[in-house]
Amino acid sequence: MLLDDLRWFVVLAQTEHVTEAAAELGLAQPTLSRAVARLENQLGTTLFDRVGRRLRLNSSGLIMLEHARRAIAEVDSAHSRIAALLDPDSGLVRLAFLHSAASWFVPDALRRFRSEAASIRFELFQGAAHDIADRLYAGQADVAITSPRPTRIACSWRVLYVERLCLAVPADHRLVGRSRVRLTEVADETFIALGADFGLRQLTDQVWAESGITPDIAFEAMEIPAMEGLVAAGFGVAVVPAPRPGRGDPSVVYLPISNTKVKREIGVAWVAGRSLPPAVERFVDFVTRKAAL
């Protein structure tokens, strides 16, 4: 089974259109069609169903896509590790990180790391915790800065920093001026939250459960800044990580929550038992040291 055939199959599976996939790959359509046919002959089954002018992955195709991505990732990782052995100061780090770590921790870590390892390259992915876990599982990321600790697969984990949760309210809210609040004091108000798949939402669910609250959720956002913006606009209140000094929405007031011990741990994770290329191991050690300062 040729690696190029697998790569071409993945692109076709993503576009589900032979013409579009061939154009993206810079191939003639017959070349791409023959590659897919070779794959199907080797597997003894079709991978796509034709729906009009488009293709749709069938059940066999979905299985093949998952394993093709992992196979490609493993081969790419092998190339990176071999290159790193030949030149220890080079290599590739495929890093996935949370949206909320993108505003300060990750950019600062990358800037400092590149000042002492300028030849190491990065392939970056920014997303939600569940998307990051998927990329680790599929072998599309070497390491992640995320929260909470991934549980879908066994992961090695080092805590980088811890954030307390607080209640974000509009600047004209009745509780502004209080040094600390209980969530039961806003039990009858509407909440802004992240979607159910997000790691922060899972922590928020714990806080609500502790307080015996069944929240009225006005909107489920995709990012914390969007939550804070809606709070500032008066659409509700929200449970968010306490912002670092000088950060956060200036139109929002952040009040410590008195009746919860739930905290948000941000850590660096990689698949347990999967050996890290030298460049990745060097980066993991660096961010761990940086967090300890």
Side-chain angles (χ1 to χ4, degrees), residues 176-199:
V176 170
R178 294 274 297 277
S179 61
R180 185 167 294 274
V181 298
R182 299 177 68 85
L183 277 189
T184 50
E185 296 180 80
V186 291
D188 294 333
E189 299 191 31
T190 56
F191 282 84
I192 308 298
L194 293 180
D197 289 338
F198 287 78

Side-chain angles (χ1 to χ4, degrees), residues 136-187:
L136 284 175
Y137 174 73
Q140 296 172 308
D142 300 308
V143 65
I145 295 175
T146 188
S147 177
R149 180 177 184 165
T151 56
R152 179 181 172 186
I153 50 174
C155 280
S156 298
W157 173 259
R158 296 180 189 172
V159 175
L160 298 177
Y161 59 96
V162 177
E163 298 174 323
R164 296 191 65 86
L165 300 183
C166 67
L167 181 69
V169 301
D172 59 355
H173 194 274
R174 59 186 171 81
L175 294 178
V176 170
R178 294 274 297 277
S179 61
R180 185 167 294 274
V181 298
R182 299 177 68 85
L183 277 189
T184 50
E185 296 180 80
V186 291

Side-chain angles (χ1 to χ4, degrees), residues 73 106 112 122 135 172 202 217:
V106 170
R112 295 188 183 191
F122 281 84
R135 292 184 78 86
D172 59 355
Q202 295 163 22
I217 300 175

Side-chain angles (χ1 to χ4, degrees), residues 7-8 10-28 32:
R7 293 187 189 276
W8 297 348
V10 169
V11 173
L12 181 57
Q14 292 169 338
T15 61
E16 296 188 326
H17 196 286
V18 174
T19 303
E20 293 176 10
E24 182 175 334
L25 292 165
L27 299 173
L32 177 58

Side-chain angles (χ1 to χ4, degrees), residues 208-266:
W208 285 330
E210 282 182 349
S211 300
I213 293 175
T214 302
D216 175 13
I217 300 175
F219 184 75
E220 292 185 336
M222 298 292 290
E223 295 183 339
I224 294 172
M227 294 171 62
E228 295 171 329
L230 290 171
V231 168
F235 281 85
V237 299
V239 176
V240 299
R244 297 178 69 81
R247 301 187 181 273
D249 191 308
S251 300
V252 171
V253 176
Y254 300 89
L255 304 173
I257 301 171
S258 63
N259 58 323
T260 183
K261 295 182 179 180
V262 177
K263 297 179 182 178
R264 186 183 190 221
E265 290 186 340
I266 309 294

Side-chain angles (χ1 to χ4, degrees), residues 63-80:
I63 294 172
M64 189 63 201
L65 178 60
E66 177 185 347
H67 288 273
R69 283 173 167 163
R70 288 164 61 184
I72 292 167
E74 287 294 337
V75 172
D76 289 345
S77 178
H79 279 295
S80 297

Side-chain angles (χ1 to χ4, degrees), residues 59 84 87 102 115 117 123 141 144 161 177 180 182 203 248:
S59 56
D87 183 0
S115 70
E123 181 181 295
Y161 59 96
R180 185 167 294 274
R182 299 177 68 85
L203 294 178

